[in-house]
Amino acid sequence: MTLQDIRILVDFGFVVLIWAVQLVIYPSFSHYSNANLFKWHKTYTQRVTFIVLPLMIGQLVIVSFQLFQNVDWYTICSSIIIGLLWLLTFTVFVPLHQSIDKEQPVNNVCLKLVSYNWIRTLLWNMLFLLSLLHHIKF
């Protein structure tokens, strides 16, 4: 198995995860009462971190290594997309999740999670397609 094969698996893992988050997990938050959401959310974020963190670190390590090996359109575009994903995650999504954890009013937080997450859904799908196309040399 090559590094690019592993890269495609990691990128695909994110595609599956982001669609589950977009279509199931984030929309389900609006069906909880505030008290139940506050209680469940802390458990959810701890558990989902065991899935997300290894994928993010793995993706970052692989792309950094690929960029170090060969600077081309693929590694540059991949790095930009991943940089945008990390930026969105830590500047938009982490604060939204923290507001739930701090039991602050969540009136629009659930709606924001769903609507803003379309950007990450698009970016992770683009990244996977880019990796797949690069792998099959289109």
Side-chain angles (χ1 to χ4, degrees):
M1 182 173 282
T2 67
L3 185 63
Q4 186 59 27
D5 293 335
I6 297 168
R7 165 76 190 273
I8 289 170
L9 288 173
V10 170
D11 290 348
F12 184 68
F14 266 120
V15 168
V16 171
L17 176 63
I18 200 66
W19 279 104
V21 167
Q22 186 62 27
L23 298 178
V24 178
I25 297 168
Y26 283 172
S28 73
F29 288 174
S30 65
H31 296 281
Y32 287 92
S33 67
N34 281 351
N36 286 336
L37 179 61
F38 297 149
K39 195 181 325 178
W40 164 243
H41 189 267
K42 291 176 184 175
T43 303
Y44 159 75
T45 53
Q46 290 171 349
R47 290 179 182 177
V48 80
T49 299
F50 285 107
I51 299 168
V52 174
L53 194 58
L55 284 172
M56 287 183 80
I57 291 170
Q59 191 176 57
L60 183 64
V61 168
I62 292 167
V63 169
S64 298
F65 187 74
Q66 287 177 324
L67 188 60
F68 179 74
Q69 280 185 321
N70 185 27
V71 177
D72 60 9
W73 67 271
Y74 169 66
T75 57
I76 292 170
C77 288
S78 294
S79 298
I80 290 169
I81 293 170
I82 290 168
L84 287 170
L85 286 162
W86 279 62
L87 185 68
L88 281 169
T89 297
F90 289 103
T91 62
V92 175
F93 290 89
V94 168
L96 287 172
H97 283 286
Q98 286 174 338
S99 72
I100 296 171
D101 285 339
K102 293 176 184 172
E103 300 184 9
Q104 295 174 348
V106 294
N107 297 342
N108 292 323
V109 172
C110 295
L111 293 173
K112 287 179 183 179
L113 284 170
V114 172
S115 63
Y116 296 168
N117 200 53
W118 281 113
I119 299 165
R120 290 193 309 180
T121 304
L122 176 68
L123 288 172
W124 262 310
N125 279 273
M126 286 174 42
L127 186 64
F128 172 67
L129 289 175
L130 181 67
S131 294
L132 191 61
L133 291 174
H134 178 73
H135 186 63
I136 58 177
K137 307 286 190 238
F138 269 105

